[in-house]
Amino acid sequence: MSHVMNTYARQPVAFVKGQGVWLWDEAGKKYLDALAGIAVNTLGHNHPRLVHALTEQIGRIIHSSNLFRIPLQEAAADRIAEITGLGEVFFCNSGLEANEAAIKIARKYGHDRGVAEPAIIVMEKAFHGRSLATLSATGSRKVQAGFEPLVQGFVRVPLNDLDAVRQVAAHNKNVVAVFIEPIQGEGGINVSRLDYLRGLHAICQQHEWLFMSDEVQCGLGRTGKWFVYQHAGFLPDVVPIAKGLGSGVPVGACVVGGRARGVFKPGNHGSTFGGNPLAMTAVVTTIDTMREEGLLANALQVGDAIRGGLAAALRGVAGVAEVRGMGMMLGIELDRPCGELVKLALEAGLVINVTAETVVRLLPALVMSEAEGREVVERLAPLARDFLAQPAAQPRVAAAH
Ligand SMILES: Cc1ncc(COP(=O)(O)O)c(C=O)c1O
């Protein structure tokens, strides 16, 4: 029996080798990876440039301390400032830590303005992490249940509903920030309308609230631009990022600009590991390689091809509610729970995920080629069709409620 704590319902497969968008298990079976470690392996597996840079860095120095200058951290922050359009970067090790920093910044911003009990507007179905503050901000009872009392100071509204935000603005003078995942990942690939994002930003401007865009899953080039807010054409105040930032080396960052600049002062926040030379090498190499290999354009082109291919292959198939997403962040919503598809896909040599019970989620590495994208469609579409053709062994979602 394993001593690993049982917090994940794991598939009985262990990947021991990867190359590009391909994985091999212990028995030598080959899989097409359409998940990239849940949006982590930006450059795919075993990218020669990343392997070389990390190996060299390990031979030089892995960790020093934030008590000293870290030139590689400065280089990584410069690049992140360029791609975000924002000015200050705090480095940490994960998405929840980046979000925890964002929440602290919002509260400090409120206190600095004389709001004793600052509140943050958050969205239904959002996922921000599993620390106490981030699970409290998360819009899922499943994530929260058993961990009460929750952290206070969050006001929840539905996504894509500006009136709901206006109503909160009219009645709650403690609000200091809006915290939004512009494309909800765990919640089922729920895409914010761009006019909604712009409207939300305008409300934030009007009330001098912080606009905080959790781009942990949807950011870093996955949608064809570095960040989703860039599709909408404005600059947020706070942008937490992680996942794809280090192509597999654990690293997160809370990036701030606008009204949030200068809110954290020395002593307000910290992290022992955050921004160490090993992680910073991964960040610098990931961003430089993305630029040199044109991976944003590739994400858009191949992502669109996969979405179009799936939409065509599944058109008219009973049980398919919608194929949606942007670039390399795609979801196929079915009318019934479909967790079983993950196992069926593995048997067929394809790595996918199912989230929010009924949504097949694809988050491929940004290096996936168009031919490999076609292969994803060719492997996945027949599985989905066969699964949906089964007699109603799976209860329909509508009927289950
Ligand atoms: C949008 C978003 N925010 C935050 C997190 C939490 O990141 P981590 O698991 O690195 O703590 C996730 C993880 O799935 C996420 O998708």
Side-chain angles (χ1 to χ4, degrees):
M1 206 189 80
S2 168
H3 293 285
V4 175
M5 192 181 280
N6 189 17
T7 58
Y8 280 89
R10 295 175 197 271
Q11 297 294 329
V13 178
F15 299 117
V16 292
K17 198 176 85 168
Q19 183 65 52
V21 296
W22 299 92
L23 286 165
W24 285 263
D25 71 12
E26 289 166 309
K29 179 174 167 183
K30 189 178 175 185
Y31 301 78
L32 179 52
D33 180 10
L35 189 60
I38 324 183
V40 166
N41 304 102
T42 305
L43 304 180
H45 302 279
N46 200 21
H47 193 291
R49 229 178 119 168
L50 184 64
V51 172
H52 177 74
L54 291 174
T55 313
E56 291 262 292
Q57 188 57 43
I58 286 169
R60 246 179 260 128
I61 185 167
I62 296 174
H63 178 87
S64 49
S65 162
N66 281 310
L67 297 176
F68 308 99
R69 265 193 60 222
I70 302 175
L72 272 163
Q73 196 178 108
E74 293 163 16
D78 286 350
R79 282 165 177 75
I80 292 174
E82 278 168 26
I83 63 173
T84 55
L86 304 180
E88 294 180 348
V89 188
F90 174 82
F91 285 106
C92 52
N93 313 287
S94 66
L96 83 78
E97 284 174 73
N99 285 340
E100 194 79 27
I103 293 165
K104 278 182 69 176
I105 287 171
R107 285 194 167 188
K108 179 78 170 30
Y109 173 76
H111 282 280
D112 290 350
R113 294 157 55 88
V115 181
E117 302 217 343
I120 302 172
I121 294 182
V122 292
M123 304 294 153
E124 289 174 6
K125 298 188 186 171
F127 182 83
H128 296 297
R130 290 175 179 276
S131 66
L132 280 172
T134 57
L135 75 80
S136 301
T138 289
S140 158
R141 275 305 295 155
K142 217 167 124 185
V143 171
Q144 296 173 339
F147 302 107
E148 297 83 357
L150 300 181
V151 172
Q152 296 188 350
F154 297 105
V155 183
R156 200 170 305 284
V157 296
L159 189 72
N160 281 326
D161 182 348
L162 283 182
D163 276 342
V165 177
R166 287 192 195 102
Q167 282 206 8
V168 175
H171 295 106
N172 188 337
K173 297 302 165 203
N174 288 331
V175 174
V176 294
V178 169
F179 193 22
I180 179 171
E181 226 189 315
I183 302 179
Q184 297 179 335
E186 307 299 306
I189 315 294
N190 306 315
V191 184
S192 300
R193 294 190 323 269
L194 295 183
D195 66 302
Y196 166 76
L197 290 176
R198 287 185 205 107
L200 198 56
H201 182 246
I203 295 175
C204 287
Q205 294 289 83
Q206 187 191 338
H207 296 280
E208 300 190 353
W209 297 344
L210 301 182
F211 189 109
M212 310 205 297
S213 190
D214 178 349
E215 304 241 2
V216 166
Q217 189 164 149
C218 60
L220 262 301
R222 187 154 286 284
T223 63
K225 290 195 188 281
W226 286 104
F227 298 99
V228 176
Y229 61 82
Q230 291 164 345
H231 291 280
F234 62 83
L235 281 179
D237 302 289
V238 182
V239 182
I241 54 180
K243 285 194 184 282
L245 183 59
S247 287
V249 175
V251 58
C254 185
V255 194
V256 310
R259 272 188 267 278
R261 228 184 147 128
V263 168
F264 269 171
K265 305 273 189 301
N268 283 151
H269 203 49
S271 165
T272 295
F273 292 124
N276 82 16
L278 181 65
M280 295 301 98
T281 300
V283 172
V284 167
T285 310
T286 297
I287 294 174
D288 289 354
T289 307
M290 288 174 74
R291 283 173 157 160
E292 279 160 39
E293 295 189 2
L295 295 187
L296 273 62
N298 189 67
L300 191 61
Q301 189 184 328
V302 177
D304 278 358
I306 297 173
R307 185 159 47 93
L310 286 170
L314 297 175
R315 190 164 297 133
V317 174
V320 177
E322 193 181 18
V323 178
R324 60 177 178 251
M326 268 175 105
M328 295 285 211
M329 186 165 187
L330 300 170
I332 310 168
E333 180 163 9
L334 305 186
D335 69 348
R336 66 199 73 177
C338 57
E340 198 187 317
L341 269 173
V342 171
K343 193 166 138 276
L344 296 170
L346 283 172
E347 283 164 12
L350 177 67
V351 183
I352 59 165
N353 171 253
V354 166
T355 192
E357 288 192 5
T358 57
V359 182
V360 176
R361 175 170 55 164
L362 306 179
L363 299 161
L366 274 48
V367 294
M368 183 174 272
S369 70
E370 225 171 307
E372 289 161 340
R374 271 197 301 277
E375 184 81 33
V376 171
V377 177
E378 280 160 21
R379 292 188 188 198
L380 181 54
L383 286 176
R385 265 192 245 111
D386 290 352
F387 173 76
L388 290 166
Q390 284 169 30
Q394 306 284 327
R396 301 215 163 220
V397 173
H401 282 276

